[in-house]
Amino acid sequence: MKHPESTKSLSLDTFPRLLADNAARYPDETALREKQYGIWKSQSWSQYNSNVRDIALGLQVLGIKTGEVVGIIGDNRPDWVAAEIAVHACQAVSLGLYRDLMEKELAYLINHAHTRIVFVEDEEQVDKFLNLEQECSCVEYIIYEDPRGVRKYDDPRLLSLDSVRDMGKSRDREQADAYDSLLEAGDGESLAILCTTSGTTSHPKLVMLNARSVIEHCKDYLRVDPRDADDEYVSTLPLPWIMEQVYAVGMSLISRMTVNFVEESATMLADLREIGPTFVLFPPRLWEELVATVRARMMDASWVKRTLHDQFLDMGLKGYDNDQPSMLAEWGLFKALKDRLGLSNVRSAATGGAALGPDTFKFFLAMGVPLRQLYGQTELLGAYTIHGSNDVDFDTVGVPFCGDIQVRIDQADAEGIGEIVTRHDNMFLGYYKDEAASQEDMRDGWMHTGDAGYYNAAGHLVVIDRISDLATMNSGLRYSPQFIENKLKFCPYIGEAVVLGAERDYLTAMICIRYPILSKWAEKQRISFTTYTDLSSRPEAYALIAEQIARINETLPEAQRLRRFVLLYKELDADDGELTRTRKVRRKVVNQKYEDIISAIYSDAPSIDVDTMITFQDGTQQRIQTSIVVHELGEHRIAEAREALS
């Protein structure tokens, strides 16, 4: 094989070329790090590039075709990223698939993209494709990384990733310039990536992206939020999501920051603390879970520690409000808290994908975590607005990265609220096999986002909600369900919330308890329970949640205060179609599925009898028989709740 420095004559407009260039210039520098069996294992740029080369040449032996779509499914791993770049080296197209996709969802995407080759991580993913043999007849090769449990199968489509690498190594020995020829043939303008949209209303669409656009957009991002080879990043978000593509792939190749992969999701907090990342990107739900975890730990603490925690936290929040950080709060609480959460070395932190509640945002800013909000869409290469480092406003999503990114408000009302419409030089190529949807969302070069927003006096963009989700009460008052839901989810005992009230006289909510934390509280209160369903039906749980909602109501305008609520007998689940894979509520699905419960909330019925079946990811079913109480929030009921908890 020729020396990788041959890439110097090539434009660095594809991922394989960027990788080969890094391997030539910084061969021994750490590029990736993965934790296996409790030990961190590093991979240099040279090793990273060799892995990609071997997989790419192995794919050539298998007869991969220019422009064909290759699926990748599994946890975030170095081999996931290597497989994607190898696919691009072969001038083919990568399609990232969320690892928790149900077989029906998986079959739709595989058939829609007519995927012939798929990379899978382990037996769990292999089983899905073996079960879909009839539905997905287009699949010819299933390349698995982890052989445990797979050797028992006798299916000619199964190939180990090691065997594909061996094919590639043989090809390299036979034709020394084979990989260099692939690099030279690459074209940054060609379709390289298919990214799924959230699919909040129907099947997800496949967004078409080329490598040049991703690379150039990453460069725009790095100008406003720089990082380099000294930075450490922990990859925790699903790799099929556009933002993780930007960070773990594009930005990593450009800035040479080290990307770390945790052992498993259960060890994430411990692994995060060991690495001490300098930059983190978490979705709102994870920031919310971190706050909830802190509060849950304080439940187990002594009275003295709880009292000190509350006092120092109050000092810190007041200090932030007055723009005078409390050193006492820093040394008494925040310094240790940041260390516990693995955030001590963070120089830049971001959240995106959905709105983060102001209370959660304020908590981390007061702690000294430089958290900033991002905003964007898959079609626009992920985020394109951000707060300035000294211009953070947790009610906004900041300003566009650069002057080339134009964001306007269309059809604004008297208050300046309208649809957010955007364009820049690095946009998507359209939706795969869906020209009608492409023309509907892209008009005259502008992407119509479907989000409602406005610019505030400081020139920051404020995102309210999806236009389709904004609702109007019988009084004519328009409100944003998401705004109230975010306030509710700041409560450590509330995991998810759906606010109701469209074409009604008042607002109500369906609440999903945060079971790990509420169960711990119940144990301390010596409240007996058996399951999630049982705990959510306990009167003590209702009293606790009622008390929490009462406090939140006090922060809302009177017309937007909740009057009633129920505790659902199960969590909202992406497997049931109630959430997207990025944990956004599919409101139409929820409204249809829980129509009887919603009707009962707005009736005089004190409770609703439920007799239903729920299906788990492995296909097993369980019958649920319970009674859901409709809890009314009024002054007398709040007093009763407080008395019950005292």
Side-chain angles (χ1 to χ4, degrees), residues 105-389:
E105 299 170 300
L106 188 58
Y108 168 78
L109 292 170
I110 291 295
N111 288 327
H112 185 55
H114 197 73
T115 303
R116 191 172 62 92
I117 302 171
V118 293
F119 286 87
V120 305
E121 181 183 359
D122 52 22
E123 182 186 12
E124 178 187 352
Q125 306 302 337
V126 166
D127 286 343
K128 289 181 183 178
F129 283 97
L130 295 183
N131 292 338
L132 291 170
E133 182 175 7
Q134 299 300 318
E135 292 89 338
C136 299
S137 57
C138 57
V139 176
E140 295 180 19
Y141 295 108
I142 304 169
I143 302 171
Y144 59 88
E145 177 187 1
D146 187 347
R148 289 176 296 181
V150 181
R151 295 188 183 95
K152 64 189 177 187
Y153 296 123
D154 183 20
D155 190 304
R157 298 174 300 166
L158 290 172
L159 284 172
S160 71
L161 182 57
D162 284 339
S163 69
V164 174
R165 288 193 189 100
D166 290 339
M167 294 177 195
K169 289 173 182 175
S170 296
R171 178 68 179 269
D172 189 46
R173 287 193 294 268
E174 294 166 3
Q175 188 178 339
D177 63 349
Y179 189 62
D180 286 332
S181 296
L182 289 179
L183 292 179
E184 291 170 6
D187 179 8
E189 298 294 340
S190 298
L191 174 61
I193 301 171
L194 292 180
C195 259
T196 57
T197 61
S198 295
T200 53
T201 56
S202 60
H203 282 305
K205 296 189 284 286
L206 297 182
V207 173
M208 299 189 292
L209 307 172
N210 64 35
R212 181 205 58 78
S213 294
V214 177
I215 291 167
E216 291 303 317
H217 192 66
C218 286
K219 290 178 180 178
D220 286 342
Y221 191 151
L222 288 167
R223 291 187 185 100
V224 295
D225 192 14
R227 53 190 54 89
D228 54 34
D230 293 329
D231 279 294
E232 298 279 351
Y233 176 67
V234 178
S235 177
T236 60
L237 301 170
L239 275 164
W241 188 40
I242 181 59
M243 288 308 296
E244 197 67 3
Q245 286 285 301
V246 166
Y247 286 98
V249 188
M251 200 176 287
S252 163
L253 293 170
I254 297 167
S255 69
R256 307 192 336 269
M257 68 179 183
T258 302
V259 179
N260 299 273
F261 298 90
V262 302
E263 188 156 16
E264 53 186 88
S265 57
T267 65
M268 189 203 59
L269 280 179
D271 296 346
L272 196 72
R273 190 180 183 192
E274 289 177 7
I275 290 296
T278 57
F279 171 78
V280 292
L281 170 66
F282 295 150
R285 63 180 175 80
L286 189 47
W287 290 110
E288 290 160 359
E289 285 175 9
L290 289 176
V291 174
T293 298
V294 170
R295 295 189 173 188
R297 287 176 177 171
M298 292 314 302
M299 291 181 192
D300 291 331
S302 65
W303 176 85
V304 173
K305 287 184 177 180
R306 287 200 305 273
T307 302
L308 289 173
H309 168 273
D310 293 344
Q311 289 180 347
F312 285 134
L313 179 59
D314 187 56
M315 287 179 194
L317 293 174
K318 287 180 178 177
Y320 176 79
D321 286 337
N322 298 323
D323 201 21
Q324 295 179 340
S326 168
M327 292 306 297
L328 193 57
E330 169 66 17
W331 287 101
L333 175 64
F334 291 149
K335 186 178 178 67
L337 198 52
K338 282 190 289 186
D339 177 63
R340 284 280 184 182
L341 298 176
L343 302 175
S344 294
N345 298 331
V346 169
R347 298 194 294 265
S348 177
T351 182
L356 178 65
D359 294 325
T360 305
F361 213 126
K362 181 179 174 181
F363 177 88
F364 285 102
L365 288 175
M367 193 193 299
V369 176
L371 182 59
R372 295 190 272 179
Q373 178 83 43
L374 302 171
Y375 171 73
Q377 292 80 32
T378 305
E379 295 88 341
L380 293 158
L381 283 300
Y384 52 84
T385 75
I386 191 173
H387 293 122
S389 57

Side-chain angles (χ1 to χ4, degrees), residues 545-555 633 638 642:
I545 299 298
E547 167 73 5
Q548 300 295 313
I549 293 178
R551 293 175 182 172
I552 293 165
N553 269 345
E554 292 172 1
T555 69
L633 291 158
I638 297 304
R642 287 173 176 159

Side-chain angles (χ1 to χ4, degrees), residues 205 431 434-443 446 448:
K205 296 189 284 286
Y431 297 116
D434 197 343
E435 183 61 29
S438 301
Q439 293 179 0
E440 181 181 350
D441 289 349
M442 279 289 295
R443 292 170 241 160
W446 291 83
H448 290 251

